[in-house]
Structure formats: structure tokens, C-alpha cells
Amino acid sequence: MDISSLFFLLCLLQTLSSSASSKAFDTLIGTSLSVEKPSDKLVSANGEFSVGFYPVGDNAFCFAIWMTKPSVPTVVWIANRDDPVDGKGSKLSVSKDGKLHLTDSAGSVVWKTKTEALTISEASNLQLRLMNTGNLVLYNFSSVAIWQSFDSSTDILLPQQLLTFGTSVISNRGQGLYSSGYYKFFFDEDNALHLLFQSPKLSSLYWPDPSLKNISDAGICIYNTSRAALLDDTGYFWSSDHFKFYATDFGTVTQRRLTLDADGNLRLYSLQEMNGSWDWVVTWQAISDPCRIHGICGPNGVCTYDHVSGRRCFCLQGFKMKDHSDWSSGCEPEFNISCDHRDESTFIQLAHVDYYGSDIDFLQNLTFQDCQEECLNWCNCKGFQYRFSVEDGGYNCYPKSRLLNGRRSPNFDGDLYLRVPKAGISNHKMPDEEFRLQCSSIVSKQERSTYENKTVKLLLWFATAVGGVEFSCIVLIWFFLLKTSKRPASTAQGYLGLTAKFKRFTFNELRKATRGFKEVIGQGAGGIVYKGVLPDQRSPNAMHTSDNGEIREHKRLVMLVRENVNIGTTEKSWIEEIIDPMLTDNYDKAKMELLVKVALQCVAKDKDERPTMTQVIEMLMSHED
């Protein structure tokens, strides 16, 4: 073999090796990816996308696809955005039935692909591959795609990712948060694309402009039932409802993403190089005035916007911010209006303030006085919108049951009249600056996800519940003793003192509680110290120290009480040997003896000899009977 042939062979082997390594790079080799191995990820052949476990909080991970070229990696798809897993033992696996399974450390399935189950032979040659488009595809043995991430988008549409009637784009909860938010981009039943605000309690469409009488006025066609939309690589977006747009850098070859942001606006981003790093630039957005986005400042909130200070949220006069970490919770009133006393209400005029929706009624060509009376006639009327209509040639009245989607704009020619109590709130038109200064502008704080093992959480809840039951039993016994005690206040104090003496072994208390222990001189660890006992008289179990020539003997209080109970005396009751002498005869000996015996059983060394809480109650109740 000559040198040229050898050189050709080496080049061929190198090419084949590179091809094999590239295939292994973007295709899953084996059956699973582990969260504990950062190297367990797939990278597209062009190096622009990665898929694996992405950190989303404290010990919280999601199985995600992200772009690697931007200065800050950009997550474009997440499997388990609302149910993150922990950083130990979690993994993504290709199961025997041909599905992808994401499991947490406890082995619980938190996400899986919604595909038909395959036979063992059909699932034997499955391949999971990350494409150059950012699409994660699961192929069967015939190289047919049986699942792809493009069919289940999160908050982003990538070029070549088709949006259909069966798919939707849902915003994140906030900046840096990956859980599902309150905004949705989708095809509605009318075959047109819409933006929807959908909180746990409220929902409303806000794009295209809902104030238009007909959606066709926005250039939308509702007769094409194919319901499909697509963004291409050049920055052109088209939809079957005839909606389309172009990026400001249309035609440029770069990475792009159409994102429904956490503030409810739909924006197209293009990746551009600036100062040596790649960052995102907005090249199109659906809504120029962000205050037209519903739910942005919450109930009873007002949104204002200008190009200098941007968007700001305020509370109405007489209202306060409900949650200082989240403006979507809105504001709550600091006053109450009684339905039975309508004359106690008055109205404050808020110029150029609009609240969209929640109209109790729509009344045409009404005087201001009549509109005000209409609102007063409704118990749930929070105020009314009053504005001139060019089409109707008069003023229209809109009584409001709720104050939602509020915005303040000099371009809005109507006013809101807020219903408030007469006492404490003035009845004049509020100046613009006064309105601005009376409201809070605290910026929402962002939350951070933390993984919680639901099994451990359930066990902790169960343990807490058991502890609560035990505490409740103790409280019941305590009240039982207080209820059955008939003696004077000094006797009640004796009971409390005796209970405390079983818990605290201080020298002074023991001296008061034991009349026969005259030689107590101090306290040692775990017992009582005596004076004047010779070494040969000490119990074999006694401990002793000799600090100043005096011999000390220690016995635990429980042992001493138990000895008095067992030995007893003929001259006096054993209870008199241990009771506080200051009580004299102001106590019931039988009750006190019963109480001590029950206490001794409860501190028995053998747990099987200790009574249950039910038995304790029965023993105490037996004396009352």
C-alpha cells in the first residue's frame, strides 16, 4: 500500500469516527439520563441546543431543552415545569412500552409521554434524538417519529414549530420562574389566534382588541378551519386566520424565539451579537401598550404606562395592595359599604380610568344622575363607567360588579366613578398627581422553586397529626383536673406545684415538697443530695461526691416517691411523706394518692407497663364516680 492510499484510509476512518461520535452526541445511548451526572445530556449536532436536567431552584430540577449560544442559557422547553424533581436519584428513562418516563428520587413518575404503548419488540430499537431545530424526537425501530417536544410547547415557539388547535403556548409565572403562568396563546373555537388571561378565579380574552365589535375588524379571518400557525427562520410569521407579521430584522440568519412573556405580551426575539456576547433583542411584539393586557395589576388595581418610566401599578383611593410580592393579586378595600344604607355611599371621579368588563348592565343615553342611581340600586355595584359615545350620540352608563383590568390613559375619554362611603373619603375630583402619590409602586419579588419530596412531606404531616392528638389528650386531662378540683385556690396551687416537682429537680423545690428530707444540702446530677450518711450506709446504686468533707447520696425523685408508696407507714399515710407541708390538710388525700399512682405508672421503665391515654382518663374518672 502506497503512502497516498494509506493517507486516504486514515482520512476515511477519521470521517467515520467523527460521524459516529456526532451521532452519539445528539442521540441517547442506553435507556436513561441521570440528574446526578451533569454529563448525561444530549447536544444537537450544530451545538446550539442541549437537553438534560436543568436547575430551576434549590435542589429542584426540570428535564429541559435550552439554547447554549446566548450569554445566558435560554430554556425553550420543559417536560415537568410544574413538578420539579430533586437532585438525587431522578432520571429520564425509555420504558419497555416505548414511552419516556421522568421519575423522582422516590421512583414516582412525575411526567411521561402521551403515546400509544408499544410491544417489547417494537420498543427494542427506540432512539431519542435532539435535532438542530431544538426538537427532541423519539423514533421507533422504523425511524418514524412517535413523539416530539414540538407537539407540547411551554412558553416558547421555535422556528419550524407548528402551532395548531391541539397545542398552546403558556407563559411562565415570572422572570426566572418556569412554572405555568396566567397567560395563554392559542387557537380558539372561532378559528382565530387569541391571547387569554386565565387566573385561578378569572379569565378574559385581551388580544385581538376585545373592544372591537367584530374580530374581522382586526383583519382576522374566522372561516379557515385548518387552524395552523408557523414562524420561519427568516422572521416571518403566518397563521391560517390571516394574521401575519415580520421581524424588524427580517431575512437575517440567526436564532429566534416567539415567547409569551410573564407579563402577558407576545414578543419575537432575535439573537444578536453585542460587545462580544450574544443577547436577545425584541424584533416584534403584539401589544404596544402593556396596560391593555388583562390582569396585569390585579383586581382594584390601575395600570399606567409611558415610554419614560414604563408600566406602573397603583391602588385606587381607599384600597391597599393585597400581596406586596405579587401585583396580580391586586388591591383590597379598606372600607365596607352596607347594602341596607345606600345613602351612606358617594362617588369619587377618576378621570381617564377604564375598567374593562364585569358590567352589571349597559345603559344607553343616560344622564349622570340616573347612572349614579342605577349603581346605588345594586348592592354589588363597585362604581360605574360614564362616557360619551359618538355612535350613539349620548352618554352610556356601565355599572361595574368588579373592578378588573384597570388602566389609566390620557387617550381614554371616559371616567370611572368609584363608590365609597361618605365618611372618611372626600367627594371631589382627584388631581392627577394626588392620584399618583397615594398609590404604591412596589416591584413584585420573584419566587424560587424548592423541591419537596411529597412522600416525606406526607410522613411529616402524619407525625404532626399524631403529635397533635397526643397534645389534645394532655389538654383534656388538664381541663379534667381543673374541672374536678373543688378545693380552695391554695390546694389548686399544690396540684400545680406537685406536677412541676416531677419535672424540675431543683434544691429549693424538693425541700418544700418533701418534709422528711431534712438533711438535703444540695443538688447533684439526676438526684437529691443528702448530708450525714456514712459510706457503708450508702445504697449500692448511690453516687457520691466529696467537695467539702460531706458525703452526698443521690437518688432520683421517682425512685424516692416509689419507695414511700411501697413501704408506707402505719402512723400516717405515705402521701403525707411526700406532699408539700405548706398545704397542711387543704387537699383530698384520696385524689392526691390517685394522681401520684397514675403519674408513677406513666413513668414506668417498661413501656408496656405505661397506661394509654384512654386508661389514664378512665383511672381518673373512676375516682369521680
Side-chain angles (χ1 to χ4, degrees), residues 608-625:
D608 295 331
E609 295 180 4
R610 300 170 192 164
T612 63
M613 297 307 299
T614 302
Q615 292 171 332
V616 170
I617 295 175
E618 289 176 352
M619 286 187 287
L620 296 175
M621 291 295 292
S622 65
H623 176 75
E624 192 67 16
D625 294 338

Side-chain angles (χ1 to χ4, degrees), residues 372-410:
Q372 182 173 279
E373 286 297 316
E374 284 292 334
C375 183
L376 290 174
N377 290 334
W378 293 88
C379 180
N380 63 335
C381 182
K382 308 299 182 184
F384 61 91
Q385 205 87 48
Y386 194 68
R387 61 182 301 189
F388 183 79
S389 171
V390 177
E391 295 179 357
D392 299 330
Y395 283 90
N396 293 335
C397 176
Y398 307 83
K400 301 287 184 180
S401 61
R402 292 182 294 186
L403 299 177
L404 305 173
N405 312 316
R407 69 184 182 97
R408 181 172 181 262
S409 171

Side-chain angles (χ1 to χ4, degrees), residues 530-559:
Y530 283 83
K531 174 184 177 182
V533 181
L534 298 176
D536 57 350
Q537 296 174 323
R538 283 184 283 119
S539 154
N541 296 326
M543 297 181 295
H544 71 282
T545 58
S546 179
D547 296 335
N548 54 6
E550 296 175 325
I551 302 172
R552 302 177 179 180
E553 178 176 329
H554 306 255
K555 287 188 178 181
R556 295 186 61 83
L557 179 60
V558 174
M559 182 186 301

Side-chain angles (χ1 to χ4, degrees), residues 289 304-306 351-353 407-414 432:
D289 182 358
T304 64
Y305 171 76
D306 59 65
H352 308 297
V353 173
R407 69 184 182 97
R408 181 172 181 262
S409 171
N411 299 324
F412 181 70
D413 57 1
D432 292 351

Side-chain angles (χ1 to χ4, degrees), residues 64-203:
I65 302 171
W66 62 91
M67 289 181 173
T68 57
K69 191 173 182 179
S71 57
V72 177
T74 303
V75 175
V76 297
W77 178 84
I78 300 180
N80 55 319
R81 65 189 304 191
D82 297 315
D83 196 4
V85 296
D86 59 348
K88 187 176 183 180
S90 304
K91 63 180 180 179
L92 179 91
S93 306
V94 181
S95 62
K96 295 180 180 179
D97 60 356
K99 297 177 182 290
L100 295 179
H101 282 194
L102 178 62
T103 55
D104 59 15
S105 58
S108 302
V109 178
V110 299
W111 174 85
K112 63 180 179 181
T113 52
K114 298 178 181 179
T115 53
E116 294 183 2
L118 303 178
T119 63
I120 296 178
S121 59
E122 290 174 332
S124 58
N125 293 316
L126 293 179
Q127 284 190 343
L128 183 64
R129 182 179 299 174
L130 181 60
M131 314 302 292
N132 286 337
T133 57
N135 190 16
L136 183 65
V137 185
L138 183 64
Y139 291 99
N140 64 9
F141 62 97
S142 301
S143 297
V144 176
I146 60 175
W147 174 86
Q148 59 180 355
S149 61
F150 270 12
D151 290 339
S152 56
S153 56
T154 50
D155 64 317
I156 288 176
L157 274 180
L158 293 173
Q160 309 307 323
Q161 182 176 1
L162 193 66
L163 180 65
T164 67
F165 181 66
T167 59
S168 61
V169 178
I170 298 177
S171 67
N172 285 338
R173 186 66 182 88
Q175 184 178 359
L177 303 176
Y178 298 96
S179 56
S180 300
Y182 294 150
Y183 297 97
K184 182 178 180 180
F185 181 50
F186 70 114
F187 277 101
D188 206 350
E189 297 287 348
D190 60 1
N191 303 320
L193 284 171
H194 286 278
L195 287 173
L196 171 73
F197 167 70
Q198 189 169 29
S199 72
K201 296 182 180 180
L202 306 168
S203 66

Side-chain angles (χ1 to χ4, degrees), residues 171-468:
S171 67
N172 285 338
R173 186 66 182 88
Q175 184 178 359
L177 303 176
Y178 298 96
S179 56
S180 300
Y182 294 150
Y183 297 97
K184 182 178 180 180
F185 181 50
F186 70 114
F187 277 101
D188 206 350
E189 297 287 348
D190 60 1
N191 303 320
L193 284 171
H194 286 278
L195 287 173
L196 171 73
F197 167 70
Q198 189 169 29
S199 72
K201 296 182 180 180
L202 306 168
S203 66
S204 58
L205 295 169
Y206 61 94
W207 182 88
D209 188 353
S211 64
L212 298 175
K213 291 187 176 181
N214 297 304
I215 194 172
S216 58
D217 294 342
I220 301 298
C221 174
I222 61 175
Y223 303 108
N224 190 333
T225 60
S226 62
R227 289 183 281 197
L230 186 73
L231 172 70
D232 69 15
D233 296 315
T234 66
Y236 170 62
F237 180 90
W238 66 266
S239 172
S240 57
D241 65 356
H242 291 184
F243 171 70
K244 62 182 179 180
F245 67 82
Y246 294 87
T248 55
D249 62 346
F250 170 71
T252 304
V253 178
T254 185
Q255 286 187 333
R256 304 180 189 274
R257 59 182 173 93
L258 183 64
T259 304
L260 180 57
D261 287 321
D263 65 356
N265 208 343
L266 184 68
R267 297 181 177 92
L268 177 64
Y269 292 87
S270 299
L271 194 63
Q272 298 181 5
E273 186 177 13
M274 294 179 291
N275 301 322
S277 63
W278 292 88
D279 294 297
W280 295 108
V281 175
V282 177
T283 52
W284 176 87
Q285 63 179 4
I287 302 173
S288 58
D289 182 358
C291 285
R292 290 187 176 273
I293 300 172
H294 288 181
I296 203 68
C297 293
N300 306 311
V302 182
C303 178
T304 64
Y305 171 76
D306 59 65
H307 294 287
V308 178
S309 57
R311 188 191 70 229
R312 300 175 64 189
C313 290
F314 301 96
C315 287
L316 293 172
Q317 185 176 10
F319 290 75
K320 63 180 180 179
M321 193 174 179
K322 191 172 183 178
D323 182 354
H324 286 269
S325 65
D326 185 5
W327 259 114
S328 65
S329 299
C331 310
E332 56 187 358
E334 297 181 297
F335 58 84
N336 292 316
I337 295 179
S338 172
C339 291
D340 301 328
H341 303 86
R342 52 169 280 165
D343 357 341
E344 296 180 356
S345 297
T346 186
F347 294 89
I348 294 179
Q349 181 185 7
L350 303 178
H352 308 297
V353 173
D354 175 33
Y355 278 92
Y356 180 83
S358 302
D359 297 332
I360 298 176
D361 202 351
F362 168 53
L363 305 169
Q364 292 178 289
N365 296 321
L366 220 64
T367 66
F368 176 81
Q369 187 64 33
D370 289 340
C371 185
Q372 182 173 279
E373 286 297 316
E374 284 292 334
C375 183
L376 290 174
N377 290 334
W378 293 88
C379 180
N380 63 335
C381 182
K382 308 299 182 184
F384 61 91
Q385 205 87 48
Y386 194 68
R387 61 182 301 189
F388 183 79
S389 171
V390 177
E391 295 179 357
D392 299 330
Y395 283 90
N396 293 335
C397 176
Y398 307 83
K400 301 287 184 180
S401 61
R402 292 182 294 186
L403 299 177
L404 305 173
N405 312 316
R407 69 184 182 97
R408 181 172 181 262
S409 171
N411 299 324
F412 181 70
D413 57 1
D415 298 331
L416 176 79
Y417 291 84
L418 177 67
R419 186 178 183 178
V420 296
K422 288 182 179 179
I425 297 182
S426 60
N427 186 21
H428 61 82
K429 181 177 180 179
M430 200 181 320
D432 292 351
E433 287 304 314
E434 183 179 352
F435 177 85
R436 179 177 293 269
L437 291 174
Q438 286 182 355
C439 303
S440 171
S441 60
I442 297 176
V443 180
S444 300
K445 294 184 295 184
Q446 302 299 331
E447 303 168 354
R448 183 169 177 83
S449 301
T450 302
Y451 174 79
E452 289 183 346
N453 190 309
K454 295 181 179 178
T455 303
V456 174
K457 189 176 181 179
L458 180 62
L459 291 175
L460 288 174
W461 177 89
F462 178 75
T464 303
V466 172

